Amino acid sequence: KRSVREAAVAEADGDWSSTEALAQGCRTASRALATKPVAVRRAVLEALARKLETEKERIFDANRADLKVAEDTGLDGPLHKRLKLTDAKLDNLVKGIRAIAAQDDPIGR
C-alpha cells in the first residue's frame, strides 16, 4: 500500500488510479447507504463526524505530508493555502456533517 505522499506524487505524474478507485468505492457506498433507514444514515454521519474528531492528529499529519508534496511540486500559493487544513476548517467540516445528519430525510421526496 502506498503512502499518502507516494500516491500524491503518482497522481501529480498522471497516475489517478487510486483516486478513481476511491471515488468508485464512495459512489458504491453512497448507493448502498441510500437504501438504509434514515436512522442508519444519521448514525453513519455521526460516526464519520466522531472519527474526524478522534483522528484529528492523523489527519493533520497526512495534511502536512500533502502540503510538503504540494510545495515540492510547485503548487501555486493560493492552491497551497486552500490545501492547508486548520482546526477551524476541520471543525466546520464536522459541524457540517452533523447539520446534514440533523436535516429532514431528503431521500424519496
Side-chain angles (χ1 to χ4, degrees):
K1 188 173 179 177
R2 294 188 297 187
S3 70
V4 171
R5 182 182 174 120
E6 291 168 332
V9 169
E11 288 172 10
D13 290 337
D15 176 13
W16 289 88
S17 60
S18 62
T19 302
E20 289 173 1
L22 178 61
Q24 181 60 44
C26 291
R27 192 174 305 115
T28 301
S30 72
R31 289 180 184 142
L33 192 56
T35 66
K36 303 297 181 200
V38 67
V40 171
R41 293 194 305 273
R42 286 188 176 135
V44 168
L45 289 170
E46 179 56 34
L48 174 60
R50 279 194 317 271
K51 190 72 165 173
L52 288 171
E53 290 172 330
T54 61
E55 297 294 328
K56 188 182 235 181
E57 289 312 311
R58 285 187 56 207
I59 293 167
F60 285 132
D61 287 345
N63 183 243
R64 281 189 286 277
D66 291 343
L67 289 168
K68 176 71 172 128
V69 170
E71 184 179 312
D72 292 347
T73 58
L75 186 69
D76 290 336
L79 292 175
H80 189 272
K81 184 177 178 182
R82 187 188 284 167
L83 179 63
K84 184 175 180 163
L85 186 62
T86 63
D87 278 313
K89 286 181 182 179
L90 188 59
D91 289 344
N92 282 335
L93 178 60
V94 170
K95 286 176 188 174
I97 291 167
R98 288 192 168 122
I100 291 168
Q103 290 177 353
D104 289 338
D105 185 18
I107 295 180
R109 288 187 174 184

